[in-house]
Amino acid sequence: MTDRRIPDWAMRAWERFTLYGLIALGSVIGGLSRYLVGVAQLALVGPPFPWAILFVNVTGSFIIGFYATLTGPDGRIFAGTRQRQFVMTGICGGYTTFSGFSLDTLQLIHHGHRAAALANVAASPVAWLIAVWVGYAVATRLNRLRTVAATGAEAENLQIPRHATLLRIFVDESDQHDGMPLYEAIVLKAREMQLAGATVFRGPAGYGQSSQMHLANALGVPDTLPLIIEIIDGEDAVSRFLPALDEMMPGGMVTMEKVEVLQYGRPAGR
């Protein structure tokens, strides 16, 4: 029987192409948004002070601080690498501009508006830092609401019995599911089904059924490395997750074992 599996190099190339395409699309969205803000300033306020650049840099700082915190490791929303790069590198990178700020300041000086130029230099960086901090603070507050709101039946679902089940899933870094890395899809599904915890480990070297070694090369560019996903919860919760996992797995290996949980979550009062 012919092996129709897509070669690893082709999968890596497609992943790179998809990532670059998403960043480019985000840059178009961000850059066009910045242009429209500039048009609005000229129509509503006019020169000389560059209110548009100040506005996009302040709002962009808020957005990136908010989104990075909301989708971080302790965030309320799960977002994969490509989604985060699309928003933060693409949209925010295209939307905000330090070069525009520098040029506007130079033009203010050139046209004799030295006081406005000084105000722009003094106020803008402070406003950016305040905005990114406010975004971080708001997202942190939202992240904490998730924990505070976990009461009643929801809180009951998040408890792990002392004698739990550890699900260990072995996949390749290049494996895909519905247009995203398989490991991200598995973690997202586990979180959607409210399993207690999931962690992805990246192996620096390994081989499987084919006996082909996978390891980082001498240039530091990684080959398709093995990944291990560990999911822990009660036996019933893990059993409910297995049918969903079966639909996503193109191959690989899955093991289950009984474990004793000594501590879960933060101690009371912290």
Side-chain angles (χ1 to χ4, degrees), residues 54-70 88 92 96 123-141:
L54 179 62
F55 177 83
V56 298
N57 283 338
V58 169
T59 54
S61 296
F62 172 85
I63 291 170
I64 199 169
F66 178 82
Y67 184 81
T69 306
L70 198 66
M88 294 192 292
C92 292
T96 58
S124 292
V126 175
W128 305 340
L129 290 174
I130 292 175
V132 74
W133 178 83
V134 170
Y136 162 81
V138 172
T140 300
R141 179 67 175 173

Side-chain angles (χ1 to χ4, degrees), residues 6-89:
I6 300 175
D8 290 343
W9 66 266
M11 292 298 301
R12 292 197 300 272
W14 175 251
E15 290 174 15
R16 292 287 184 181
F17 176 80
T18 304
L19 175 62
Y20 297 157
L22 286 172
I23 293 174
L25 176 61
S27 298
V28 170
I29 295 172
L32 180 59
S33 299
R34 170 157 51 92
Y35 170 77
L36 293 176
V37 170
V39 171
Q41 181 211 320
L42 291 177
L44 299 176
V45 181
F49 194 83
W51 292 107
I53 298 299
L54 179 62
F55 177 83
V56 298
N57 283 338
V58 169
T59 54
S61 296
F62 172 85
I63 291 170
I64 199 169
F66 178 82
Y67 184 81
T69 306
L70 198 66
T71 60
D74 296 325
R76 188 182 186 90
I77 297 176
F78 178 87
T81 301
R82 286 182 292 186
Q83 291 93 326
R84 286 170 61 86
Q85 292 296 331
F86 168 70
V87 174
M88 294 192 292
T89 304

Side-chain angles (χ1 to χ4, degrees), residues 168-172 175 227-229 249 251-255:
R168 187 174 285 122
I169 307 163
F170 298 80
V171 298
D172 286 338
D175 289 337
L227 300 176
I228 300 174
I229 307 163
M249 290 286 290
M253 182 174 67
V254 178
T255 64

Side-chain angles (χ1 to χ4, degrees), residues 130-195:
I130 292 175
V132 74
W133 178 83
V134 170
Y136 162 81
V138 172
T140 300
R141 179 67 175 173
L142 290 176
N143 291 340
R144 289 174 179 170
L145 287 178
R146 177 191 61 188
T147 304
V148 173
T151 58
E154 183 180 354
E156 184 69 22
N157 290 336
L158 294 177
Q159 298 302 314
I160 303 180
R162 184 176 181 88
H163 298 284
T165 298
L166 175 64
L167 185 67
R168 187 174 285 122
I169 307 163
F170 298 80
V171 298
D172 286 338
E173 198 172 21
S174 61
D175 289 337
Q176 297 280 308
H177 177 74
D178 286 345
M180 72 169 62
L182 176 60
Y183 67 91
E184 290 185 9
I186 291 174
V187 173
L188 180 60
K189 176 59 70 173
R191 187 169 184 179
E192 176 186 324
M193 297 182 66
Q194 295 188 345
L195 271 74

